[in-house]
Amino acid sequence: MAELAALEDPKARAVNERHGDDHGVNLSKLRAIAKRLKTRQELARELWRTGDTAARLLALLICRPKAFERDELDAMLREARTPKVQDWLVNYVVKKNPHAEELRVAWFADSDPVVASAGWALTTERVAKKPDGLDLPALLDAIESEMKDAPDRLQWAMNHCLAQIGIEHAEYRTRAIAIGERLEVLKDYPTSPGCTSPFAPVWIDEMVRRQGGK
């Protein structure tokens, strides 16, 4: 904790806080600490229990993803709250855990929009890698009816799922693009030069183009 405190940068904190993340540690330096520590499951649990965002991010880098129980991960997600911690928890830990599918189903239907956004993120992963068993038309129905008025993090996750359906599944591409154009979610999102807009119709078209129009 002392080492993390010494890395605190007020400028980095100011930037991160604009995105809802309350830490000021450069992530490259955080990853360097994790590389030195290697896998330390019990230390990871201790770091998580501090409640400190930088400590939790480090915990997620040095933990053993398959070692967590289902209820433990559920509690961690509900405690996470800051976007970066939630994002790393889902992508670095939950996706590699044997309870991932069970958690995806439970979180997807949760009344807390932050928890639900994690369910949508896991669903997006399945849309891309293991779509068998998913009801893609039903996902599009839900996106069409709920995404426009969803809270920010849930809206972002639903939009990612919409784009992924359009990118990966040619038979639903026209409908996915039409939904995006009608709802106009993230249409005016500021995008840096050389980056792809998160507006689903643009995102879908660009990724399909890169894949050779498949």
Side-chain angles (χ1 to χ4, degrees), residues 64-94:
R64 186 175 291 108
K66 293 180 180 178
F68 292 102
E69 296 299 326
R70 178 209 181 281
D71 290 348
E72 190 175 11
L73 289 173
D74 183 69
M76 288 169 72
L77 180 75
R78 294 173 194 281
E79 294 166 6
R81 290 305 161 200
T82 66
K84 183 66 72 179
V85 173
Q86 183 196 0
D87 182 55
W88 283 22
L89 175 62
V90 171
N91 286 293
Y92 297 169
V93 181
V94 178

Side-chain angles (χ1 to χ4, degrees), residues 35-48:
K35 189 174 182 181
R36 189 186 78 227
L37 292 171
K38 300 187 169 61
T39 302
R40 301 269 296 274
Q41 180 67 7
E42 288 313 308
L43 176 58
R45 283 194 166 104
E46 289 178 33
L47 288 167
W48 183 272

Side-chain angles (χ1 to χ4, degrees), residues 4 8 41 45 59 94 108 134 146 157 162 169 174 197 210:
L4 290 174
E8 176 74 21
Q41 180 67 7
R45 283 194 166 104
V94 178
F108 188 86
L134 286 179
E146 299 168 25
L162 174 66
H169 301 278
T174 298
S197 168
R210 290 184 194 177

Side-chain angles (χ1 to χ4, degrees), residues 160-172:
H160 189 182
C161 190
L162 174 66
Q164 205 69 55
I165 291 172
I167 293 163
E168 301 289 344
H169 301 278
E171 66 272 33
Y172 298 113

